[in-house]
Amino acid sequence: MIKLYLSFLFAALLSLKVCTVTAFQVSDSVATISFLNGVEKVESMYFKLKIKKDQPSQSIDPQANQLEQILNKVYYDFEKATFTRDSLINVGINNTDIEYYIFDDAKEFKEVVDYISIVKKNELYIPKTEKAQTNEKLIIAASRIPFKPFYKLKYKIFNDVKFIILLGILGLFLITFLALLFFLTIVRSKNAKQKKHIQEYKLLCQSPISSLLFEYSYQEIESMTFDQIANEFGKSNFSKTLFKDTLVKEIVNVNKNLKGEFKDKLRAIYTILDLDKFSLHKLKSRNWDEQSSGIVELFEMNIEYAVEEIEKLIYSKNFIVRTNAVRAVLHLSIDKDLKFLAQQKYPLSKWQQMSIYRVLKNIPKTEKVGVAILLDSENHTVRLFGIRLVRFLGKIELIEKLSKMYDNVTYSEQEEILKSFKALTAFGELELVHKVLMGNDHPLSTLAANLLADIGNEDSIEFLCKKVKETEDFKLQKCILTSLHALDEQRFEIEVQNLNQEHIYLIKNHIKDSLLSYV
């Protein structure tokens, strides 16, 4: 009895499952057919019509050729294939059916259902509604544009102001680019030619200069005329500015490396060929490099009468012209008056000061150089240079003037004055040095303490002892103790003991170690 009941239950469940699967299959089939009717094309899928061969064929249309064309036709729209099939059925061909092709292979409807599910997920189809709407929008948009022939529209673009401006900018850029390219090409070609000519002129100048220097005496060269010397270089070349410029540079370069009679010979060649006038003409040029070149040439060739023309460039706005002019005037002028330098409005750089000092230090001691006038200048860089000159040139007579101006000058000038006192061993300025030592400025007090090692007396020892107790600056303490050791070694030992500090003992050991005396 139980076995019979279980058999009946299993059969019921099996029939229920079959019914459920069948219901799902029917639902999928209906959805697939509905989908195919709603799309225009499915990717990689098409349809054909076929006649079932298992059906009787008596009712086939006698027009076999027309029917064969219909059967061979490929349909991508399922709805059109269905319409054609129904038309054939209506004319009596009842055994007509639709055949499905996927990737050119005929498929069963079950396989079509599975493929359509994949197509839906990946949207590999063209809906009829979207194309219709798109076509409709395009037709509506097109209907709003009035028809005009192309030959009337082709110039309409030039009515756009922004576009015209853009074309203008691009055109201007192109023209500028071409102009610059042309200019650079011309300049480069010109420079290349000039360099080539300069090299040729250098070779042309070197041999005559050597023969004139070594084959003729100074008296023989001085007695020569322009034509005689010019023939050595080729007289026709003197009409060329570039040749004369090259010749001057060659003479100046040779002059820098020679001494004695050779320099006199070169100067004679330079003046006989009127190259001094050529250099003077450069001073009137508007180009600063031409002016500077002319000044250097006249300076190197020692053309004294050119001082008046060079003096006009002393206050030039250009730094290089101004520097070279000052050097040339100091070197060439008979009177070494520095008044023009005291009136200088532009600041003197260290490079300018160095170049001027090189000229001044070579002036014979018999000639007086008016350094005092620089100390009264309104330009503080000129005053600073004047203080340095007092130290470098050993102008002891100006120590008193430096002492009087100490309180009224800049900080950097005060430092230079103290350095000058030390270099010149200014014993008469102890009062000022003591005052600076006891001041609150550590760098100046350090310089004063250093100075007292050379010019200090008994009063200086007391000031040093007092200051070392007041200050905590290590560098200042070291300088004070060093000067104290130089003035009175016994007092030095006493003060170290009184201070009784670890770093003071270290300073003491450093001072007394002969190996560290310059450290």
Side-chain angles (χ1 to χ4, degrees):
M1 186 69 181
I2 295 172
K3 289 182 179 179
L4 181 63
Y5 176 74
L6 290 173
S7 299
F8 178 77
L9 181 60
F10 178 75
L13 289 172
L14 183 61
S15 62
L16 179 61
K17 181 178 180 181
V18 169
C19 291
T20 305
V21 171
T22 304
F24 276 115
Q25 288 176 347
V26 171
S27 175
D28 289 343
S29 299
V30 172
T32 301
I33 295 298
S34 176
F35 174 77
L36 290 174
N37 284 326
V39 298
E40 181 181 356
K41 182 181 178 181
V42 176
E43 185 69 28
S44 302
M45 185 176 180
Y46 60 88
F47 314 97
K48 285 185 177 181
L49 297 180
K50 69 176 181 176
I51 298 175
K52 298 177 183 178
K53 294 183 179 180
D54 56 341
Q55 297 292 333
S57 57
Q58 292 80 1
S59 61
I60 295 177
D61 195 322
Q63 297 179 350
N65 292 333
Q66 186 178 359
L67 179 61
E68 186 177 355
Q69 291 178 359
I70 295 173
L71 295 176
N72 291 332
K73 187 177 180 181
V74 175
Y75 298 91
Y76 292 98
D77 190 339
F78 182 75
E79 194 171 10
K80 290 182 179 180
T82 305
F83 178 77
T84 306
R85 183 199 62 182
D86 293 343
S87 300
L88 291 175
I89 292 173
N90 289 336
V91 298
I93 307 175
N94 296 322
N95 54 344
T96 305
D97 199 1
I98 297 175
E99 191 171 19
Y100 303 90
Y101 287 87
I102 301 174
F103 297 105
D104 298 327
D105 293 331
K107 301 292 182 180
E108 297 294 330
F109 189 75
K110 182 180 179 182
E111 294 174 308
V112 172
V113 171
D114 295 336
Y115 181 70
I116 292 302
S117 64
I118 297 172
V119 167
K120 286 181 178 180
K121 290 179 182 178
N122 295 279
E123 297 182 356
L124 301 173
Y125 58 88
I126 301 176
K128 288 184 179 180
T129 53
E130 288 187 8
K131 184 176 180 183
Q133 290 176 359
T134 304
N135 290 338
E136 184 178 354
K137 289 179 180 178
L138 289 173
I139 292 168
I140 292 170
S143 65
R144 295 176 182 174
I145 301 175
F147 172 77
K148 289 184 179 180
F150 175 75
Y151 67 88
K152 289 185 178 180
L153 289 172
K154 65 179 180 179
Y155 298 113
K156 188 174 181 179
I157 194 169
F158 294 107
N159 294 329
D160 191 342
V161 177
K162 293 181 180 179
F163 186 75
I164 293 296
I165 294 172
L166 178 61
L167 286 179
I169 293 172
L170 291 175
L172 182 62
F173 172 77
L174 182 62
I175 293 170
T176 305
F177 170 75
L178 292 175
L180 285 174
L181 184 63
F182 177 76
F183 176 75
L184 290 174
T185 304
I186 296 297
V187 170
R188 186 174 181 181
S189 176
K190 185 178 178 181
N191 289 339
K193 289 181 180 179
Q194 187 175 9
K195 287 180 180 179
K196 183 180 178 181
H197 288 317
I198 289 172
Q199 291 299 325
E200 293 174 356
Y201 293 152
K202 280 185 177 180
L203 295 173
L204 188 62
C205 294
Q206 288 171 0
S207 179
I209 291 174
S210 299
S211 62
L212 287 169
L213 288 177
F214 294 102
E215 295 178 10
Y216 296 90
S217 65
Y218 172 69
Q219 289 77 13
E220 289 175 332
I221 293 175
E222 197 174 30
S223 63
M224 288 182 178
T225 62
F226 172 84
D227 293 336
Q228 289 176 324
I229 298 179
N231 287 331
E232 296 286 333
F233 298 93
K235 189 175 180 180
S236 59
N237 291 323
F238 282 86
S239 60
K240 303 171 186 176
T241 303
L242 184 59
F243 173 79
K244 289 196 287 186
D245 188 60
T246 306
L247 178 58
V248 169
K249 285 181 171 58
E250 286 298 305
I251 291 174
V252 170
N253 288 333
V254 173
N255 184 69
K256 289 180 180 178
N257 301 317
L258 297 177
K259 293 182 179 180
E261 189 180 24
F262 288 109
K263 293 181 79 72
D264 296 332
K265 290 179 182 180
L266 283 171
R267 188 174 184 275
I269 295 170
Y270 181 75
T271 53
I272 292 171
L273 292 175
D274 291 332
L275 296 177
D276 52 341
K277 296 178 182 178
F278 178 74
S279 297
L280 274 171
H281 183 70
K282 289 184 179 181
L283 302 183
K284 299 178 182 179
S285 174
R286 293 184 179 181
N287 297 328
W288 68 268
D289 55 335
E290 284 286 319
Q291 292 178 345
S292 180
S293 178
I295 293 170
V296 172
E297 290 164 8
L298 295 167
F299 167 74
E300 292 291 342
M301 299 310 298
N302 203 26
I303 308 300
E304 296 177 354
Y305 71 86
V307 172
E308 293 182 3
E309 293 296 327
I310 297 174
E311 281 181 345
K312 298 176 183 178
L313 300 175
I314 285 176
Y315 305 109
S316 172
K317 294 181 180 180
N318 186 274
F319 171 80
I320 297 176
V321 173
R322 191 168 64 246
T323 304
N324 287 328
V326 170
R327 287 178 58 216
V329 169
L330 287 175
H331 177 73
L332 299 175
S333 60
I334 299 174
D335 184 12
K336 306 301 180 184
D337 186 6
L338 298 180
K339 184 178 180 181
F340 69 92
L341 189 59
Q343 295 173 350
Q344 187 71 259
K345 295 181 180 179
Y346 297 99
L348 283 179
S349 67
K350 289 184 177 180
W351 184 81
Q352 285 178 304
Q353 293 177 26
M354 179 189 69
S355 62
I356 295 171
Y357 171 66
R358 287 181 63 185
V359 176
L360 293 176
K361 76 174 183 177
N362 293 323
I363 296 175
K365 293 183 179 180
T366 54
E367 296 185 27
K368 293 183 179 180
V369 180
V371 176
I373 196 171
L374 300 181
L375 302 177
D376 297 324
S377 175
E378 295 180 0
N379 189 332
H380 79 278
T381 59
V382 174
R383 291 198 305 271
L384 191 65
F385 179 56
I387 296 169
R388 288 171 178 162
L389 285 179
V390 170
R391 178 165 78 250
F392 296 152
L393 300 178
K395 299 290 183 179
I396 300 175
E397 66 275 10
L398 295 177
I399 290 177
E400 186 178 353
K401 185 173 180 64
L402 293 181
S403 179
K404 290 179 180 179
M405 62 185 290
Y406 181 87
D407 294 327
N408 302 317
V409 294
T410 61
Y411 185 83
S412 56
E413 291 174 69
Q414 290 177 342
E415 289 182 323
E416 290 297 328
I417 288 173
L418 292 175
K419 291 177 183 178
S420 298
F421 285 168
K422 182 175 178 63
L424 301 175
T425 317
F427 290 102
E429 305 304 325
L430 273 174
E431 185 179 349
L432 174 61
V433 176
H434 291 158
K435 177 183 174 183
V436 176
L437 173 69
M438 301 308 294
N440 296 323
D441 190 284
H442 288 166
L444 291 178
S445 296
T446 303
L447 288 173
N450 240 339
L451 176 56
L452 288 175
D454 298 324
I455 66 172
N457 56 14
E458 293 180 358
D459 294 335
S460 303
I461 294 172
E462 299 302 325
F463 281 112
L464 290 170
C465 293
K466 183 179 179 182
K467 185 66 178 180
V468 75
K469 295 175 183 176
E470 294 177 356
T471 184
E472 295 180 357
D473 184 76
F474 178 82
K475 187 176 180 180
L476 179 56
Q477 286 181 334
K478 178 176 175 294
C479 288
I480 291 173
L481 291 173
T482 303
S483 296
L484 187 60
H485 180 267
L487 294 174
D488 190 340
E489 190 172 350
Q490 185 177 359
R491 186 66 181 271
F492 166 78
E493 296 288 348
I494 295 171
E495 290 302 321
V496 169
Q497 292 297 327
N498 291 338
L499 292 171
N500 194 25
Q501 296 178 16
E502 184 179 354
H503 72 280
I504 297 296
Y505 288 114
L506 293 174
I507 293 173
K508 171 190 172 183
N509 295 334
H510 178 87
I511 293 171
K512 299 189 74 174
D513 192 338
S514 59
L515 295 176
L516 301 176
S517 58
Y518 294 101
V519 180

